[in-house]
Amino acid sequence: MDGVAILMNRRSFLAGSACTVSSLAAPSFVRASAFGANAPSNRINVGFIGTGRQAFGANLPQMLAVAGVQVVTVCDVDSWRMGEAQKFVNEFYAKRDGLASYSGCSTKSDFREVIADPNIDALMVSTPDHWHVPIGMMAAKAKKHFAMEKPISLSVGQGRMLADAVKKYGVTARNDSEFRSLRVQNHAVELVRNGHIGKLERIEIVFPSDPAPVDVQPDMPVPPELNYDMWLGPTAAVPYTEKRVHDVKQHRLRPNWMRINTYAQGMIANWGAHYFDVAQWANNSEHSGPIEVEGKGEFPVSLWNTMINFKVSYKYANGVVMTCEQTPTSTPSISYFGSDAWIKIDGYPGTMTSSKPELLTREPEAGEMDFSKTLWDKNDFIAAIREGRQPLEPIEVGHRSISIAQIGLIACQVGGRLRWNAERELFEGNNYANALLAAPLARPQWAVALT
């Protein structure tokens, strides 16, 4: 079989996760494997959309380290960040391959060009949260596999659209929360699911504190390197100020948009995408959700107006009660309380303590759930594409996880106890709360239909 035929078979394989390894023609698969993971015929080309803090701090270094992957394009509306990412990738490959220089990583300022590129197989989406659903919908319709930074959506309605699109178009799509890959976190889930703390009764989550809201900010000239209109995308056109977007010419600080409810939903969603995911996993409710929710929180009158200093309580059909809270001085933790013991994981990546110290070193026995060999998140994403399987945290599960944050936020906005129907994804008997489940796009030209 010639090289062109091999490449065509590879492209057909990578076009949709519904295809499995066993469905490949045997000669093409053997031939590709013979060249090794980095052979062009067996390589997965990845495009990066969004090159800010998460890209530099986690996603680029991790993806570059995965065997058989080539980062071929970086894309950002901030040309300075995009240039820094291109330099980062080119220098990595030059060093890895012992070259004097490397220039194989291109730049694209419009993510639609990345999605449309036939040479790109998969995407890493690291944009601000308000862009996740439009980009994910376009990627799914183009049959591009994607890993998406959490949280994947800004509303239950948007998240359902994205999850349905992934299912309809048959792509591999991963909610990019690394907590399932952290051994201390999945070990705790393992202990709970295997019954070593007795019957699970309560889960307590504490989120890190937020900085104080900023004062009123002046309108400012848009930096020349930023395509601000494209950054706003599906949200309303408003004047630029630095504290709305990200600090100029840096990619290390937490971006300002994370504290503005037009573009993000604050700490209940930012860390909630991690903690609610592992909590639902431990409770064996990752495909459903609670039946009741109530809470209170503060909503600053500020440019930075995401909810702070909150406490939310959830009740599940199995009797488990989950609480989450944030205070001005809180630090992150998650605790599981059972009828026989408790487990607590403090901080990141996490330190475990328990009322039964012997649990800290207990490994699974034959027949028990065993997460000890869980792949790291980018490795899991690429392996899922190659093997035609679901990743460790599919978009559907990521949607269910972030829905917990979103209905908790609505409970704090509305007040009182709300009944949640997880199957229908609606509140029972509360039209006001249900009206908040779908965040409409302010500029409808960015809306993407499922059909």
Side-chain angles (χ1 to χ4, degrees):
M1 183 176 291
D2 62 25
V4 174
I6 294 171
L7 184 59
M8 289 177 66
N9 274 291
R10 169 183 173 274
R11 292 296 177 195
S12 298
F13 164 58
L14 293 171
S17 61
C19 174
T20 63
V21 170
S22 61
S23 69
L24 288 172
S28 120
F29 181 70
V30 172
R31 179 72 177 275
S33 298
F35 283 119
N38 289 311
S41 58
N42 199 38
R43 191 174 67 197
I44 294 178
N45 291 333
V46 175
F48 264 68
I49 301 176
T51 57
R53 176 173 172 264
Q54 281 301 105
F56 281 93
N59 298 335
L60 266 174
Q62 292 170 13
M63 192 69 78
L64 288 167
V66 180
V69 166
Q70 191 82 6
V71 176
V72 296
T73 300
V74 292
C75 172
D76 204 291
V77 296
D78 184 319
S79 61
W80 180 84
R81 288 182 163 198
M82 183 167 59
E84 291 293 295
Q86 181 188 39
K87 178 182 176 184
F88 187 94
V89 172
N90 284 338
E91 288 181 349
F92 173 87
Y93 287 131
K95 182 177 180 180
R96 186 196 69 179
D97 299 336
L99 304 173
S101 65
Y102 176 87
S103 58
C105 179
S106 66
T107 61
K108 290 182 172 65
S109 58
D110 189 325
F111 72 87
R112 290 169 293 188
E113 296 179 23
V114 184
I115 293 174
D117 189 337
N119 294 312
I120 292 176
D121 308 303
L123 309 170
M124 178 68 240
V125 182
S126 309
T127 64
D129 299 352
H130 65 283
W131 264 117
H132 286 173
V133 169
I135 291 175
M137 294 283 289
M138 292 184 204
K141 293 183 80 169
K143 298 295 185 75
K144 286 288 198 293
H145 308 295
F146 63 90
M148 179 170 285
E149 265 297 335
K150 52 79 190 169
I152 63 166
S153 73
L154 292 182
S155 73
V156 174
Q158 285 184 352
R160 171 48 54 205
M161 285 176 59
L162 181 58
D164 287 350
V166 166
K167 181 178 180 180
K168 177 176 180 177
Y169 295 107
V171 297
T172 297
R174 187 185 192 281
N175 183 56
D176 208 60
S177 166
E178 73 274 16
F179 270 44
R180 289 192 176 210
S181 298
L182 296 170
R183 180 54 183 154
V184 66
Q185 297 289 345
N186 65 43
H187 187 201
V189 172
E190 185 180 271
L191 291 169
V192 174
R193 292 287 294 271
N194 287 331
H196 295 303
I197 67 169
K199 183 182 183 298
L200 180 63
E201 298 175 340
R202 193 168 81 257
I203 303 171
E204 293 182 0
I205 296 169
V206 180
F207 296 116
S209 60
D210 270 310
V214 296
D215 294 331
V216 174
Q217 297 292 299
D219 296 346
M220 301 169 64
V222 177
E225 66 273 12
L226 178 65
N227 182 342
Y228 181 55
D229 186 69
M230 190 68 166
W231 184 90
L232 289 169
T235 67
V238 292
Y240 171 84
T241 187
E242 187 177 33
K243 293 299 183 185
R244 181 184 301 280
V245 187
H246 53 255
D247 291 357
V248 172
K249 291 190 176 178
Q250 67 78 34
H251 49 68
R252 298 185 183 279
L253 300 176
R254 179 166 286 176
N256 303 308
W257 56 261
M258 291 181 71
R259 305 177 180 100
I260 302 174
N261 64 21
T262 308
Y263 318 112
Q265 294 176 320
M267 205 58 76
I268 195 171
N270 181 27
W271 272 73
H274 294 309
Y275 276 153
F276 291 140
D277 174 52
V278 291
Q280 290 244 110
W281 195 18
N283 190 41
N284 196 21
S285 56
E286 61 182 344
H287 292 283
S288 59
I291 58 172
E292 289 182 358
V293 56
E294 61 181 324
K296 292 183 178 180
E298 299 175 19
F299 295 87
V301 181
S302 165
L303 174 66
W304 290 359
N305 60 357
T306 54
M307 183 175 69
I308 58 173
N309 304 330
F310 51 85
K311 185 163 187 177
V312 184
S313 177
Y314 304 85
K315 183 178 179 181
Y316 287 82
N318 63 359
V320 171
V321 172
M322 179 172 69
T323 61
C324 68
E325 67 176 325
Q326 182 202 48
T327 72
T329 58
S330 54
T331 57
S333 68
I334 183 167
S335 304
Y336 303 97
F337 296 87
S339 56
D340 297 335
W342 56 260
I343 299 168
K344 182 178 183 181
I345 302 98
D346 283 291
Y348 180 88
T351 301
M352 188 190 298
T353 54
S354 176
S355 59
K356 288 186 175 181
E358 63 269 24
L359 294 181
L360 304 181
T361 55
R362 184 185 180 102
E363 294 300 326
E365 299 175 357
E368 291 187 324
M369 289 188 173
D370 184 353
F371 306 133
S372 62
K373 296 178 178 61
T374 298
L375 293 174
W376 187 248
D377 55 356
K378 306 302 184 294
N379 298 78
D380 171 66
F381 173 55
I382 298 302
I385 295 172
R386 292 190 183 282
E387 298 167 14
R389 63 166 173 81
Q390 290 285 349
L392 185 61
E393 188 177 0
I395 287 294
E396 173 66 35
V397 173
H399 162 63
R400 291 291 186 173
S401 299
I402 201 57
S403 292
I404 307 302
Q406 290 158 350
I407 65 173
L409 177 60
I410 291 172
C412 293
Q413 292 171 315
V414 172
R417 183 177 300 173
L418 300 175
R419 291 282 300 178
W420 177 244
N421 186 319
E423 182 177 355
R424 298 179 63 205
E425 296 187 322
L426 289 171
F427 295 107
E428 295 177 349
N430 195 311
N431 293 333
Y432 176 32
N434 283 331
L436 301 175
L437 288 170
L441 298 175
R443 296 200 280 185
Q445 65 267 34
W446 286 111
V448 182
L450 184 59
T451 56

